[in-house]
Each structure stands twice: as C-alpha cells, then as structure tokens.
C-alpha cells in the first residue's frame, strides 16, 4: 500500500504541475511503473509520466502512454506494469478518444485509481470497462487528495454552473477592515502568496466597487518565477461609481493596465449608458444584466457565467458583496484566511452579515474542512453547506 501511495503522490504532483491550465478538463496525473518480476520488496521504477494537456488536449493517461511508446527500450507491458492515475479513466469518445480503450490496447494489466469520475453519468463506468477487459483495478488510493485537486471541475460537472468561491482575510474576531477601511494587510506574506496560487486556478475573480475604490487592486496572479497571469476580473458596480471616476481623478488600475480587456464590469440598466459606452471605448468589457434594482442578482450572474463557459469565480469581497452572496446561499466554497489579530471594534467591517441565526442548527457550515497553516495565519477552506431554514435579518439590508 505504501508503494501505491508513493506513486499516486507522484501522480498528484504531476496533476498539480498543470494547475489552472486545463479548464474545462480536470487536472489529472498519471504514472506508468514497472515492478521487479523477482523481488516483490524491490521499489518499482517509473517508466513514463503524464498530466492533462491544456485546452482540451490529450488526457494524462494518453500523455503517459505516448511518452512510454516513444521510449523504445522500455516499451511493452509485462504482468508487472501498473498505471497509476489520479482520476478514473474516461470511457467516452470525446475529442481525444476513450482512455479506457488506450489502456486496454497498451496491454497494461493493472490500474490503480485515486478517485472516481465525479460525473454521476460516468462514475464507475471506466472501472467496469477495464475490469471486463480482465484488468485488475484498485481504487481509492489517496482519494481525498485526488478528489480535492478538482474542486472547480467537480462542481461544474455535477451542477453545470460555475463554482462560486468566496475568499476572506479576517482578524480572529471576523473583521475584514478597520472602521476607516484600512485592510492592507491583515494576513502575512505566506497567506497572500497562497491567494496568488488560487487566483491562478480560477478562470475569473470578482470584487465589488467598494473594494476597487478603497484598494485599487490589480487582481492578477503574481507567483515568483512565473509570468504574471490575469484571470477575467469582474467588478460589481450597479451604479457605475467606479466609471464616474473616468472623467475625474485616478482611474482604477483594472481599467487602465495592460490586462484591461480582461476586466468585465457587471452592472444594471440603472448605471447609465454613457459610462457603459466610455468603458467599452477604453477596451473594458461591460455586462449589463437586467435587474429591477441597482444590484445585479447573483443567480442571474451565475447563469450568465455558465452560458459564457466560465467554470469558476474566486470572489474576493468586500463585505457587501459577500454578505449578499451568503444571504442568497450562492457561496459554494469558502477560503477563510485568519490572522492572529483582533480589532475589538464594533465599527470595523465584519466579513459577512445579514443572517438571523438563532440556533446552532441554523449555522452555515463547511463540509470536510481543510486547515493549512501559512506563516502566522491559518486557511480554513471547504464546501459551504446551508441549513434548510436559512433565515434573513431584514433589518440589515432593508435598503436592498
Ligand atoms: N480582508 C479582506 O478579505 C477584504 C477583501 C476585499 C475587500 N476588503 C475591504 O472591504 C472594504 C470594501 O467592502 P465594501 O463592503 O465597502 O464594498 P464592496 O462589497 O467591495 O463593494 C460594494 C459596492 O459594490 C457594488 N455592488 C454591491 N453589490 C452589487 C451587486 N449585486 N450588483 C452590482 N453592484 C454591486 C455597489 O456599488 P454601487 O453603490 O455603485 O451600486 C456597492 O457600493 C474595503 O475596505 C476593502 O479593503 C477586505
């Protein structure tokens, strides 16, 4: 078992090497290993490796099989050859052909799988096909780790909507900014570097107009040794108050930098067509979504993202945006970074508000939470589970 875990760990590493580049496909890693024919205690040797190709190219299993085929002296399956793969091989033709066919044709007789295909229409089918072809299949090796590689894909394939993940950086008493708005930086460098990795994973980031005005963020992923990456950057601005700065002072970086064509301002018909035109003339995109009020509805935004094939949105706040999402039960996943400091000030901005929680049973919870220590800070993350009787405090948002 230890050997299986060792090779599966390598497959997980390979999957991570293509972090954020494989949408709409999941990140998968595969390793082909030859064990000794005479000494069952001897460590196996890796013959070939693969990871999912970007942009709908060959899957990890095929990449590994092709690399193996090209390595003449080591090509050719024996009874001691094993394929390790982080996710169940696909069994449908798709763009690249079924991986189960390629595995059967390769002559490999043993396959070790991390996690099943999350798509309920396919889960277990690839395993059955391999077994029917006489291949020994083991499942569930490093399962949680393998499944956790693909939070965005797993959500998309089961709901056909993007994963809405909220990110917050708070004090121990749950505040995201001082009463003055000062919030840079609550968390330390290590936690902020971790945020950069998640920004690289998600196809899109979203913030509210308040955050743009207060912090003027760049919202790119800056990782040492890698080229700066810019996801789609959504700015929620129902009345286009950020755009009204176009004619006055200090334009937000999101509307002027070299990635401005990746900025999409999300607004309503109440924001003013003049500003919409000005933004578009600058090369900034604008989505005007129908809404009876100055607020864009999150369900409408989700639907629009799904239509545009945007598979996940990393929502970085601020407080107003996150509170709305919580009240509408629209946060699917939470990344909560907590710093060892306290404000103890009622007028400091709370992370989220607007619920009426009278009993512990009404609490919003994280399923299978993961905790990571990042320098002095702690990241808690997990899938958000809402109570059946989510109750709103109408006194908090009476103005919408
Ligand atoms: N610590 C952290 O993790 C963190 C993260 C981000 C921000 N922050 C801090 O949070 C503060 C900003 O928070 P905030 O609550 O003031 O502002 P915010 O949530 O960033 O933005 C609020 C503004 O966004 C627009 N808006 C909100 N909901 C909308 C919707 N559904 N559709 C369209 N537009 C919508 C509104 O603009 P209109 O009035 O024009 O309609 C509103 O004024 C800053 O101090 C920032 O530094 C902290």
């Amino acid at each position: 078992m230890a050997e299986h875990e060792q090779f599966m760990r390598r497959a997980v590493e390979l999957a991570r090497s293509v972090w954020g580049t494989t949408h709409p496909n999941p990140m998968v890693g595969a390793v082909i290993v030859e064990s000794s024919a005479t000494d069952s205690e001897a460590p196996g040797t890796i013959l070939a490796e693969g990871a999912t190709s970007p942009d709908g190219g060959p899957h990890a299993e095929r990449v590994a099989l092709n690399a193996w085929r090209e390595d003449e002296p080591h090509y050719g399956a024996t009874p001691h050859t094993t394929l390790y793969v982080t996710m169940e091989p696909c069994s449908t033709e798709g763009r690249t052909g079924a991986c189960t066919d390629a595995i059967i044709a390769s002559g490999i007789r043993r396959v070790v799988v991390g996690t099943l295909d999350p798509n309920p229409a396919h889960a277990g089918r690839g395993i059955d096909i391999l077994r029917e072809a006489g291949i020994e299949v083991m499942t569930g090796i490093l399962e949680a780790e393998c499944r956790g590689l693909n939070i965005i894909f797993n959500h998309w394939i089961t709901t056909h909507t993007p994963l809405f993940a909220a990110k917050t950086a708070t004090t121990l008493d749950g505040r995201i900014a001082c009463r003055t708005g000062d919030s840079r930086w609550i968390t330390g460098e290590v936690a902020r570097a971790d945020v950069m990795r998640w920004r690289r994973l998600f196809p899109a980031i979203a913030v509210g107009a308040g955050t743009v005005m207060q912090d003027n963020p760049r919202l790119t992923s800056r990782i040492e040794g890698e080229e700066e990456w810019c996801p789609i950057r959504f700015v929620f601005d129902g009345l286009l108050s950020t755009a009204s700065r176009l004619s006055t002072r200090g334009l937000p970086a999101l509307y002027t930098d070299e990635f401005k064509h990746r900025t999409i301002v999300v607004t309503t018909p109440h924001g003013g067509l003049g500003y919409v035109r000005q933004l578009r003339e600058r090369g900034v995109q604008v989505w005007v979504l129908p809404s009876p009020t100055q607020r864009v509805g999150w369900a409408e935004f989700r639907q629009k993202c799904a239509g545009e094939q945007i598979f996940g949105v990393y929502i970085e706040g601020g407080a107003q945006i996150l509170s709305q999402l919580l009240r509408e039960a629209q946060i699917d996943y939470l990344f909560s970074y907590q710093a060892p400091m306290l404000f103890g000030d009622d007028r400091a901005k709370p992370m989220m508000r607007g619920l009426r929680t009278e009993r512990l049973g009404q609490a919003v919870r994280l399923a299978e939470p993961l905790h990571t220590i990042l320098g002095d800070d702690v990241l808690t993350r997990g899938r958000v589970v809402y109570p059946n009787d989510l109750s709103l405090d109408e006194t908090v948002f009476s103005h919408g």
Side-chain angles (χ1 to χ4, degrees):
M1 192 58 87
E3 188 173 82
H4 288 328
E5 287 193 3
Q6 177 201 330
F7 290 119
M8 191 58 83
R9 197 150 278 127
R10 175 64 193 148
V12 168
E13 239 173 68
L14 288 161
R16 288 215 176 99
S17 72
V18 290
W19 189 256
T21 65
T22 62
H23 306 301
N25 285 337
M27 287 180 275
V28 178
V31 180
I32 300 171
V33 173
E34 187 68 27
S35 310
S36 165
T38 50
D39 180 359
S40 61
E41 298 296 305
T45 310
I46 293 181
L47 300 178
E49 302 182 327
T52 316
S53 316
D55 302 330
H59 297 177
E61 302 90 316
R62 279 187 184 270
V63 175
L65 289 168
N66 291 344
W68 185 33
R69 198 167 295 119
E70 280 162 19
D71 181 15
E72 278 291 339
H74 297 109
Y75 184 62
T78 74
H80 309 283
T81 315
T82 307
L83 169 72
Y84 291 85
V85 60
T86 54
M87 185 188 284
E88 171 182 3
C90 71
S91 52
T92 44
E93 274 306 317
R95 269 210 271 176
T96 53
C99 287
T100 45
D101 289 348
I103 295 167
I104 295 167
S106 75
I108 285 178
R109 311 304 299 155
R110 187 162 70 161
V111 176
V112 178
V113 173
T115 184
L116 293 188
D117 188 331
N119 185 347
H122 297 274
R125 231 173 64 190
I127 309 284
D128 291 345
I129 290 171
L130 294 177
R131 285 191 176 137
E132 276 158 25
I135 294 174
E136 180 193 342
V137 185
M138 277 176 83
T139 58
I141 305 295
L142 297 186
E143 183 170 9
E145 220 170 302
C146 291
R147 194 178 56 240
L149 280 167
N150 290 301
I151 54 173
I152 297 176
F153 174 80
N154 296 349
H155 183 86
W156 177 267
I157 212 69
T158 48
T159 66
H160 307 291
T161 71
L163 181 77
F164 279 3
K167 171 250 150 183
T168 58
T170 65
T171 60
L172 292 177
D173 52 342
R175 305 290 163 158
I176 65 166
C178 298
R179 59 165 69 199
T180 54
D182 187 20
S183 70
R184 287 190 158 185
W185 301 102
I186 289 177
T187 48
E189 256 176 48
V190 184
R192 298 207 306 276
D194 191 64
V195 169
M196 292 292 161
R197 281 184 57 248
W198 294 107
R199 281 186 181 175
R200 180 64 192 86
L201 179 68
F202 277 82
I205 299 189
V207 289
T211 300
V212 172
M213 310 260 242
Q214 175 76 28
D215 300 342
N216 195 15
R218 194 161 162 79
L219 299 183
T220 55
S221 169
R222 300 176 297 280
I223 299 173
E224 214 182 305
E226 289 183 21
E227 211 173 308
E228 184 174 9
W229 164 259
C230 186
I232 293 168
R233 304 176 297 186
F234 288 114
V235 178
F236 275 79
D237 191 353
L239 289 179
L240 289 176
S241 44
T242 55
S244 65
R245 286 183 157 205
L246 289 175
S247 52
T248 55
R249 70 204 156 87
L251 302 178
L254 299 174
Y255 303 163
T256 55
D257 69 12
E258 67 274 38
F259 301 116
K260 64 183 180 189
H261 59 284
R262 305 274 292 161
T263 301
I264 304 179
V265 179
V266 188
T267 190
T268 65
H270 313 281
L273 286 177
Y275 288 133
V276 172
R277 198 181 51 245
Q278 283 183 44
L279 283 167
R280 286 185 175 146
E281 278 168 8
R282 295 196 140 264
V284 175
Q285 300 180 58
V286 185
W287 286 0
V288 183
L289 300 187
S291 170
T293 71
Q294 70 194 58
R295 301 268 182 261
V296 173
W298 290 95
E300 284 72 34
F301 174 64
R302 187 186 281 277
Q303 210 177 3
K304 171 82 174 161
C305 287
E308 298 288 328
Q309 300 271 292
I310 294 170
F311 307 104
V313 186
Y314 189 62
I315 305 168
E316 297 206 27
Q320 205 182 95
I321 294 272
L322 294 178
S323 300
Q324 284 173 26
L325 281 157
L326 184 72
R327 282 166 58 91
E328 293 180 29
Q330 290 282 346
I331 303 175
D332 304 310
Y333 199 92
L334 180 68
F335 291 85
S336 166
Y337 295 84
Q338 215 169 30
M341 69 165 90
L342 293 159
F343 290 161
D345 180 345
D346 271 352
R347 292 185 60 194
K349 263 188 198 293
M351 166 173 150
M352 292 177 204
R353 60 203 196 110
L355 294 186
R356 191 180 169 94
T357 308
E358 294 180 342
R359 290 171 289 102
L360 285 176
Q362 270 183 302
V364 176
R365 293 177 183 268
L366 297 193
E368 298 171 24
L370 295 171
H371 307 280
T372 315
I373 293 177
L374 298 162
D376 287 346
D377 308 319
V378 179
L379 165 64
T380 300
R381 65 182 175 98
R383 198 166 46 77
V384 177
V385 182
Y386 295 90
N388 291 332
D389 52 349
L390 190 78
S391 172
L392 308 185
D393 181 350
E394 297 303 347
T395 59
V396 173
F397 285 90
S398 50
H399 58 288

